[in-house]
Amino acid sequence: STPLYSSAASDVYKRQWQVFARQYEFELSDELLAKLMACFQEISPRDMKMLLRLVLRVARNRGVEPDIDVFRQCAMFRAIKITDLALS
């Protein structure tokens, strides 16, 4: 079987993050996308969408940019597995 983080799977993941970001009119930078790809290698599309929606709401309420730290905090709150804790 193909490892989850193969380039084909990686492209699909990348596109899913971008599609959901566009749906929520969120400007997803390449840098943040790379961090999301490293942090959430096993996330399902449903969790991806839910996490993004939660992050945007939390960031707006706090008056901050939705950065990787907000994604991590929201993921922990929702018990979504984080695969790369060393990344910052």
Side-chain angles (χ1 to χ4, degrees):
S1 76
T2 321
L4 184 62
Y5 212 52
S6 70
S7 69
S10 172
D11 287 345
V12 169
Y13 261 37
K14 211 175 260 187
R15 268 199 304 278
Q16 285 175 325
W17 278 115
Q18 290 166 331
V19 165
F20 292 137
R22 265 197 305 277
Q23 280 180 3
Y24 293 117
E25 298 175 352
F26 172 56
E27 191 66 44
L28 182 58
S29 70
D30 291 342
E31 184 188 355
L32 181 55
L33 179 56
K35 290 178 180 180
L36 292 172
M37 299 282 292
C39 268
F40 304 108
Q41 293 172 24
E42 298 173 20
I43 193 169
S44 71
R46 197 189 74 211
D47 283 345
M48 216 181 254
K49 186 173 187 174
M50 179 272 303
L51 178 60
L52 185 57
R53 192 171 56 219
L54 178 61
V55 163
L56 295 176
R57 194 168 58 232
V58 166
R60 191 170 53 241
N61 289 345
R62 291 183 187 167
V64 298
E65 280 299 304
D67 62 10
I68 196 65
D69 293 326
V70 182
F71 274 92
R72 276 212 198 105
Q73 289 160 9
C74 291
M76 284 187 268
F77 175 70
R78 298 297 297 216
I80 294 171
K81 184 173 180 188
I82 299 172
T83 44
D84 188 354
L85 291 169
L87 194 74
S88 60

